[in-house]
């Protein structure tokens, strides 16, 4: 139980209480927080309250005394509603500009008369008035105006003109329409005549589309879920996004995952992580299938620079050999990759020459550095087509792939061999101790 909930329970009242000037116990809870602007300690004030004729919300406000950065945000304290909601308000007077508005981060705001729209998930949730909503929009447009005036004067002039039209809306010299469309159903526009009907405000509920369900992270229709293979089909058509931490700076980041079908091969899972804090980027490929019964050895004879454009899938269990350079790269290096042959050779060059710890600092010797530079020059010659050679992909798990540009006909420059794994290879893959048959019968006997 949180600190706020404990205080509410001890007071004998609910966690969420309506804002009232006579309620002396209704005070925000202050929590020390890290400022993401200057990385000093600031304070966050949180208040759990109710909006009359609506629902419970959480209001949070952060301020930093060091850099004076501040941020306000609201979050719905309830669940995502069964239906989406659309509010259509005819703004006819200045009194309408004072109506309270709860805009969830999933809501889209439109003003048809100006052909203006604030897309969903582009702003944090906010508790404001209609005037404040327009003012926040103007402030957001003004933020980058000095840069635009220096780089794109014509665009800056058009934005200035549009901001003037938005500012004129505050005077309500003519009637305009405000539309708030929220698939989550957690946005709200005040009705000052409640519980009576408001002639200027129209509220409509609707059923969400599968695309809106996916954006909100909720399940689709149960009938669709019962269809066999529906999950796999949806994964093929969507990019899944989940939260993680950056491996470099440990800041919150997002990882994108996509299931991709490689022609004449199998399905693979491509994952990419981007960190907005430090700019670190990683990408990784996982096989979407099981370990094959036989290992695979792919040998390609490099005869033309166009070979560098072949698509290549290197699994985590794949070894790479270049006999002409007496080079072998173990299965643990570079990880899984889906790239071109040129991209793989550049990654090898960077790993061996640029990122090699034995070429830096006290570990470096002139002889070793010279040998590695010569190796890098040979890799560059192979990429440029100035040097012929062979590249071998040896994957005991059978999950690596090299594009056959003559498919479905055989490639005269490429050979694919299937072979039985050795005991040591099965041990490396963890297959010797893996049992998939007979364990249930032994459990019954015991």
């Amino acid at each position: 139980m949180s600190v706020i909930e404990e205080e509410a329970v001890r007071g004998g009242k609910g966690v969420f209480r309506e804002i009232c000037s006579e309620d002396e116990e209704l005070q925000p809870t202050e929590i020390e927080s890290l400022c993401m602007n200057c990385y000093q300690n600031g304070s966050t004030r949180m208040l759990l309250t109710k909006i009359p004729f609506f629902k419970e919300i959480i209001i949070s406000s952060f301020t930093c005394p060091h850099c004076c950065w501040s941020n306000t945000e609201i979050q719905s304290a309830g669940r995502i509603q069964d239906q989406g909601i659309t509010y259509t308000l005819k703004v006819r007077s200045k009194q309408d500009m004072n109506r309270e508005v709860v805009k969830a981060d999933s809501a889209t705001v439109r003003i048809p008369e100006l052909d203006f729209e604030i897309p969903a998930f582009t702003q944090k949730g906010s508790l404001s008035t209609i005037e404040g909503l327009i003012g926040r929009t103007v402030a957001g447009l003004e933020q980058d105006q000095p840069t635009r005036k220096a780089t794109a004067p014509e665009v800056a002039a058009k934005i200035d003109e549009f901001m003037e039209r938005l500012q004129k809306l505050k005077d309500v010299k003519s009637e305009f329409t405000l539309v708030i469309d929220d698939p989550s159903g957690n946005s709200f526009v005040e009705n000052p005549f409640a519980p009576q009907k408001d002639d200027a405000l129209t509220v409509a509920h609707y059923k969400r589309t599968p695309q809106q369900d996916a954006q909100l992270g909720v399940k689709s229709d149960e009938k669709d879920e019962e269809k066999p293979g529906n999950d796999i089909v949806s994964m093929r058509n969507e990019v899944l996004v989940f939260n993680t931490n950056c491996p470099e700076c440990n800041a919150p980041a997002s990882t994108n995952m996509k299931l991709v079908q490689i022609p004449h091969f199998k399905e693979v899972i491509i994952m990419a992580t981007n960190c907005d804090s430090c700019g670190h980027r990683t990408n990784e490929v996982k096989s979407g299938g099981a370990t094959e019964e036989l290992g695979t050895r792919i040998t390609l004879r490099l005869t033309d620079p166009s070979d560098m454009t072949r698509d290549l899938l290197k699994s985590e269990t794949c070894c790479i050999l270049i006999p002409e350079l007496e080079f072998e790269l173990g299965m643990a290096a570079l990880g899984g990759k889906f790239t071109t042959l040129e991209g793989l050779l550049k990654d090898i060059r960077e790993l061996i020459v640029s990122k090699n710890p034995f070429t830096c600092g006290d570990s470096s010797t002139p002889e070793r550095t010279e040998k590695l530079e010569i190796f890098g020059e040979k890799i560059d010659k192979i990429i440029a087509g100035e040097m012929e050679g062979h590249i071998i992909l040896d994957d005991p798990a059978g999950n690596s792939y090299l594009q056959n540009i003559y498919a479905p006909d055989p490639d005269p420059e490429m050979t694919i061999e299937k072979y039985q794994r050795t005991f040591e290879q099965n041990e490396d893959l963890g297959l010797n101790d893996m049992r998939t048959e007979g364990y249930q019968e032994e459990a019954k006997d015991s």
Side-chain angles (χ1 to χ4, degrees), residues 143-190:
Q143 186 175 2
D144 295 328
Q145 276 296 86
T147 305
R148 294 193 192 100
K149 290 179 179 179
T151 57
E154 296 180 358
V155 176
K158 291 181 179 179
I159 293 179
D160 283 335
E161 181 182 352
F162 186 78
M163 286 191 297
E164 290 180 3
R165 297 175 64 187
L166 283 175
Q167 292 285 10
K168 290 180 180 179
L169 293 181
K170 295 182 179 181
D171 299 330
V172 198
K173 293 183 179 180
S174 61
E175 179 181 313
F176 68 92
T177 307
L178 178 73
V179 181
I180 297 181
D181 184 0
D182 185 7
S184 71
N186 288 328
S187 291
F188 171 76
V189 176
E190 180 190 7

Side-chain angles (χ1 to χ4, degrees), residues 200-264:
L201 181 64
T202 303
V203 183
H205 297 269
Y206 62 89
K207 185 178 180 180
R208 286 186 292 268
T209 64
Q211 292 78 11
Q212 290 172 329
D213 281 332
Q215 287 180 340
L216 297 174
V218 298
K219 294 183 179 179
S220 58
D221 192 0
E222 294 180 357
K223 295 182 180 179
D224 294 336
E225 293 179 358
E226 294 175 357
K227 294 181 181 179
N230 184 69
D231 293 341
I232 298 177
V233 173
S234 62
M235 286 184 65
R236 290 173 181 168
N237 298 329
E238 296 180 8
V239 177
L240 304 180
V241 182
F242 53 93
N243 296 327
T244 183
N245 288 343
C246 173
E248 287 290 328
C249 66
N250 204 34
S254 60
T255 296
N256 298 332
M257 185 174 71
K258 182 74 166 63
L259 186 64
V260 179
Q261 174 69 44
I262 297 180
H264 308 290

Side-chain angles (χ1 to χ4, degrees), residues 298-302 312 320-324 341 344-345 348 389-393 402:
I298 305 173
T299 304
L300 175 67
R301 181 168 174 261
L302 304 173
L312 180 145
I320 301 174
L321 298 91
I322 306 178
E324 287 76 12
L341 187 55
L344 179 67
L345 291 175
I348 291 174
H390 294 78
I391 186 166
I392 302 174
L393 305 180
L402 185 59

Side-chain angles (χ1 to χ4, degrees), residues 4-22:
I4 301 175
E5 292 174 343
E6 289 178 357
E7 293 178 355
V9 171
R10 283 196 296 267
K13 299 182 179 180
V15 177
F16 296 89
R17 289 181 285 177
E18 295 184 3
I19 297 178
C20 179
S21 58
E22 299 177 358

